[in-house]
Amino acid sequence: MKTLLLNPGPVTLSDRVRQSLLQPDLCHRESEFYDLQDEARARLLSVYELDARDWSAVLMTASGTGAVESMIASLVPRQGKLLVVQNGVYGERITNIAKQYGIAYESVLHDWMQAPDLARIEACLDANGPFSHVAIVHHETTTGRLNDLARIGALCRAHGARLLVDGVSSFGAEAIDFDEANVAAVAATANKCLHGVPGAAFVVARREALEQAASRTYYLDLARLAKLQAQRGTPFTPSVHAYYALVEALREFDEQGGLRARHARYAALAEQVRSGLASRGIASILPAEQSSVVLRSYALPAGIGYETLHDGLKRQGFVIYAGQGDLSKQLFRISTMGEINAADIDRLLGAFDSLMR
Ligand SMILES: *Cc1c(COP(=O)(O)O)cnc(C)c1O
């Protein structure tokens, strides 16, 4: 039996992407590798129709956190200051990265169930500024909440700050208006909404932001990576196979209709899960209009602990995801990223029936 991954990455691969891993062995100092790297970089910009004169997609061999770390450590200039909007595990991680690198920062803390409080963010911008950047997680995977980039971006613009976005679990599936939201950069990875494999991550950055970058980290130095990649180079040995898969996944993404089609596909699957679980007495934690289409949180059914639910579903071929921290006793999560279709969700709901009988 094939196991379907309903965790937020790595995802269930399409056969096409899986087969792409079997292409010829390739030295990363050969022109064929640079063709691959160039294609990945160009296709990443085209996901959001970004102009290569203003934007650069910078690849690295890392998981999503590596890309976020590279973005934060590089794009806040030496004399810059960062405001971190924190309403979940991944926002907290950004704070920890800022702390680790000795970057001047303030964090506006929220309960993990709460949406960003614009009044408190604005008060912090006024009281503790000037800030060069505000960092926010677009889709806070902790709960499935989609944070409102446009409104935070408008606050940034009014305060002369640019937005640094953890788009790891939204890039490719949720709309991002890069100009409207005053974005300096978005960090993401191949193995979530783009349907590649783990090992290739990237930051899409404004060229202007790269020019003002600080060099706080050696391996993850974004400006150096950008400069070498623009010259068809690379400083270190990249995960060549993950790049093969990323390029194939991006070709498939385009052929399937790009961002809008992926958003619509996820939205339909998420609604199928939501309504199916609701009719079985399992409630969504957040209202649909505050949630991403990528992942949703659900209240654990009465009398069934997470382990029982997880193990029972796994025996029937589905891997679901626990809540993090204190939320683990309260909720479970289901992501519909990856090669998953409506018939798979019907089978998942059948598996819930068999466990809840
Ligand atoms: C998955 C995820 C990450 C990165 O996790 P890795 O394990 O490093 O790939 C970062 N931010 C968000 C919002 C995520 O969902």
Side-chain angles (χ1 to χ4, degrees):
M1 179 179 54
K2 185 175 163 190
T3 297
L4 293 182
L5 300 183
L6 305 175
N7 51 289
V11 298
T12 304
L13 299 179
S14 68
D15 288 336
R16 174 175 171 179
V17 170
R18 190 188 315 284
Q19 288 303 321
S20 76
L21 295 167
L22 303 177
Q23 291 174 81
D25 299 332
L26 187 54
C27 169
H28 64 292
R29 301 287 173 208
E30 295 298 318
S31 66
E32 292 86 348
F33 175 74
Y34 297 123
D35 293 344
L36 190 69
Q37 180 170 270
D38 285 349
E39 183 173 345
R41 297 180 70 224
R43 285 186 180 274
L44 286 170
L45 291 187
S46 80
V47 170
Y48 287 93
E49 293 167 35
L50 296 172
D51 189 332
R53 282 169 302 189
D54 299 326
W55 297 90
S56 176
V58 188
L59 288 163
M60 63 196 74
T61 290
S63 76
T65 305
V68 174
E69 181 163 341
S70 174
M71 171 178 78
I72 299 295
S74 304
L75 295 187
V76 180
R78 278 270 162 232
Q79 305 307 322
K81 187 170 183 185
L82 181 68
L83 185 154
V84 184
V85 178
Q86 191 175 311
N87 64 338
V89 170
Y90 297 100
E92 188 175 294
R93 191 171 290 177
I94 296 176
T95 295
N96 290 335
I97 292 168
K99 206 181 289 175
Q100 177 91 32
Y101 284 98
I103 294 169
Y105 76 93
E106 297 284 339
S107 295
V108 179
L109 308 183
H110 299 76
D111 183 275
W112 287 1
M113 283 302 167
Q114 298 308 308
D117 179 339
L118 294 175
R120 281 175 54 221
I121 295 165
E122 181 155 36
C124 184
L125 285 167
D126 286 333
N128 304 305
F131 288 90
S132 58
H133 292 87
V134 172
I136 188 161
V137 179
H138 185 201
H139 167 215
E140 191 36 279
T141 323
T142 311
T143 53
R145 180 182 293 283
L146 195 65
N147 286 328
D148 188 339
L149 293 188
R151 295 182 69 189
I152 307 271
L155 276 184
C156 286
R157 177 173 287 109
H159 288 79
R162 288 274 200 194
L163 200 57
L164 298 174
V165 181
D166 171 344
V168 175
S169 63
S170 58
F171 192 99
E174 297 284 359
I176 302 174
D177 189 327
F178 283 66
D179 286 320
E180 178 73 25
N182 217 30
V183 167
V186 176
T189 184
N191 63 285
K192 295 208 185 190
C193 308
L194 297 177
H195 300 182
V197 307
F202 58 91
V203 177
V204 172
R206 238 179 243 279
R207 291 186 180 279
E208 195 183 275
L210 289 167
E211 280 156 23
Q212 293 156 23
S215 185
R216 294 185 180 89
T217 140
Y218 186 76
Y219 191 79
L220 296 173
D221 186 331
L222 196 64
R224 179 176 49 170
L225 288 166
K227 184 164 163 256
L228 288 174
Q229 288 172 23
Q231 301 163 351
R232 287 173 63 85
T234 177
F236 316 111
T237 310
S239 176
V240 175
H241 295 79
Y243 287 35
Y244 271 145
L246 173 60
V247 165
E248 198 59 38
L250 287 166
R251 290 174 185 163
E252 186 178 61
F253 177 87
D254 276 346
E255 286 167 29
Q256 290 176 347
L259 175 68
R260 272 181 204 85
R262 184 130 316 167
H263 180 89
R265 165 181 168 167
Y266 286 1
L269 292 171
E271 174 55 22
Q272 193 186 348
V273 176
R274 187 206 62 77
S275 61
L277 290 180
S279 72
R280 289 161 176 82
I282 299 175
S284 305
I285 296 280
L286 294 177
E289 65 276 11
Q290 295 177 24
S291 303
S292 76
V293 296
V294 178
L295 170 145
R296 303 271 170 95
S297 294
Y298 297 95
L300 282 165
I304 303 186
Y306 178 75
E307 299 301 327
T308 309
L309 185 63
H310 169 272
D311 296 355
L313 291 172
K314 190 170 177 185
R315 275 195 294 278
Q316 300 186 57
F318 301 97
V319 172
I320 62 166
Y321 214 49
Q324 280 155 301
D326 290 345
L327 297 180
S328 65
K329 288 177 198 69
Q330 220 178 309
L331 58 81
F332 65 96
R333 294 176 288 173
I334 291 185
S335 159
T336 42
M337 288 182 238
E339 191 63 16
I340 288 165
N341 59 38
D344 297 324
I345 301 302
D346 282 338
R347 286 194 301 113
L348 171 73
L349 295 169
F352 269 91
D353 286 337
S354 75
L355 286 175
M356 290 169 69
R357 257 201 293 274

